[in-house]
């Protein structure tokens, strides 16, 4: 693979499926003076993803990928990543599981944010499950992506206290705020290790 040294900025692609608040936050960080990365491509499986508006707003290339056939979808994505010289992938609310083969192509170069204190609550509905189990804390984790769901090496994690009157929405909102703090920090850490 490519050697990621020198003064050149790292090209990042962000994969989304929905609102894109993490995407927006990372874009804003990429504009900071000493930023070591540039977001060059936004990928989504969802043509209605709200986050696509940020592509337009910040003039970033986007690709909407038809996921009716995963193999073809991933082939197309890999091609786009190559064309756009992407070095690193950040998953930010991307609700599709990447195949082993795809991950092999970007080994150690895909990171994800997950709304739980991994290894607890892999998969979906994390906050609701944590609340149902009367956990004291939920939280968020940035981790490397490997071939097992939400199981790669943890880069950063933040605990968030579950309050007595929390609903899914209130907890989700509070955790998202922390996601916006830890994702750029974790990315910085990853970039310094490339
Ligand atoms: C975030 O809470 C993120 O942790 C979660 O989706 C949300 C996306 O929000 N990711 C997952 O559940 C991945 N399994 P955003 O679109 O506003 O960034």
């Amino acid at each position: 693979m490519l050697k990621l040294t020198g003064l050149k900025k790292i090209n990042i692609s962000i994969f989304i499926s929905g609102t894109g608040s993490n995407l927006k936050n990372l874009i804003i960080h990429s504009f900071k003076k000493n930023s070591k990365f540039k977001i060059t491509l936004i990928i989504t499986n969802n043509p209605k993803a709200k986050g696509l508006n940020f592509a337009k707003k910040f003039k970033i290339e986007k690709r909407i990928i038809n996921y009716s056939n995963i193999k073809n979808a991933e082939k197309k994505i890999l091609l786009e990543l190559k064309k756009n010289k992407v070095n690193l992938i950040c998953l930010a609310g991307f609700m599709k599981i990447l195949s082993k083969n795809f991950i092999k192509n970007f080994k150690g170069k895909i990171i994800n944010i997950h709304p739980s204190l991994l290894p607890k609550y892999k998969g979906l509905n994390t906050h609701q499950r944590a609340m149902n189990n009367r956990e004291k804390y939920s939280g968020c984790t940035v981790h490397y992506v490997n071939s097992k769901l939400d199981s790669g090496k943890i880069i950063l994690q933040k605990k968030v206290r579950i309050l007595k009157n929390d609903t899914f929405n209130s907890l989700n909102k509070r955790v998202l705020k922390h996601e916006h703090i830890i994702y750029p920090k974790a990315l910085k850490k990853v970039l310094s290790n490339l």
Side-chain angles (χ1 to χ4, degrees):
M1 260 303 261
L2 28 141
K3 192 89 188 90
L4 304 171
T5 50
L7 296 171
K8 255 188 107 197
K9 290 200 179 193
I10 302 296
N11 289 339
I12 291 183
S13 175
I14 305 208
F15 290 21
I16 61 165
S17 297
T19 314
S21 70
N22 278 290
L23 164 68
K24 181 185 176 198
N25 182 53
L26 290 175
I27 293 173
I28 288 166
H29 272 81
S30 76
F31 293 148
K32 290 196 171 171
K33 207 171 147 219
N34 293 321
S35 156
K36 302 237 183 321
F37 67 97
K38 197 172 151 193
I39 295 161
T40 49
L41 183 64
I42 296 165
I43 296 277
T44 189
N45 62 304
N46 177 13
K48 293 193 179 133
K50 269 199 193 161
L52 284 173
N53 292 327
F54 299 120
K56 196 167 176 199
K57 184 166 178 198
F58 294 105
K59 298 191 173 58
I60 298 171
E61 289 283 325
K62 65 164 191 291
R63 298 287 180 273
I64 300 164
I65 305 292
N66 179 343
Y67 245 82
S68 55
N69 177 313
I70 295 183
K71 227 175 163 178
N72 288 343
E74 290 192 340
K75 219 169 143 183
K76 180 123 199 262
I77 296 176
L78 284 171
L79 207 75
E80 292 293 343
L81 296 172
K82 204 171 169 188
K83 263 199 231 162
N84 288 278
K85 298 187 170 52
V86 169
N87 313 122
L88 187 81
I89 296 169
C90 293
L91 307 182
F94 185 62
M95 299 317 237
K96 292 284 177 191
I97 294 173
L98 298 170
S99 73
K100 275 186 188 165
N101 176 60
F102 185 96
I103 294 166
K104 222 166 58 193
N105 276 275
F106 269 81
K107 200 165 177 257
K109 302 224 163 39
I110 310 175
I111 62 174
N112 179 42
I113 186 143
H114 183 76
S116 84
L117 292 173
L118 290 174
K120 279 189 166 182
Y121 303 108
K122 297 170 183 173
L124 299 175
N125 304 321
T126 53
H127 298 321
Q128 195 58 56
R129 285 191 282 144
M131 284 192 293
N132 293 349
N133 288 344
R134 299 186 184 283
E135 298 276 6
K136 279 194 174 149
Y137 294 94
S138 189
C140 46
T141 306
V142 181
H143 65 96
Y144 284 101
V145 171
N146 66 10
S147 58
K148 282 196 190 149
L149 182 69
D150 300 327
S151 298
K153 192 177 165 216
I154 290 173
I155 303 159
L156 268 185
Q157 190 165 64
K158 174 72 188 173
K159 265 186 178 178
V160 179
R161 180 93 200 193
I162 299 178
L163 306 176
K164 228 170 138 196
N165 296 324
D166 258 335
T167 58
F168 165 79
N169 278 336
S170 62
L171 180 58
N172 188 45
K173 216 168 146 184
R174 227 167 42 253
V175 173
L176 255 183
K177 276 192 188 155
H178 290 286
E179 291 189 22
H180 297 163
I181 297 168
I182 69 163
Y183 211 167
K185 273 194 188 163
L187 181 54
K188 204 169 174 186
K189 219 169 145 184
V190 167
L191 294 177
S192 69
N193 286 328
L194 283 178

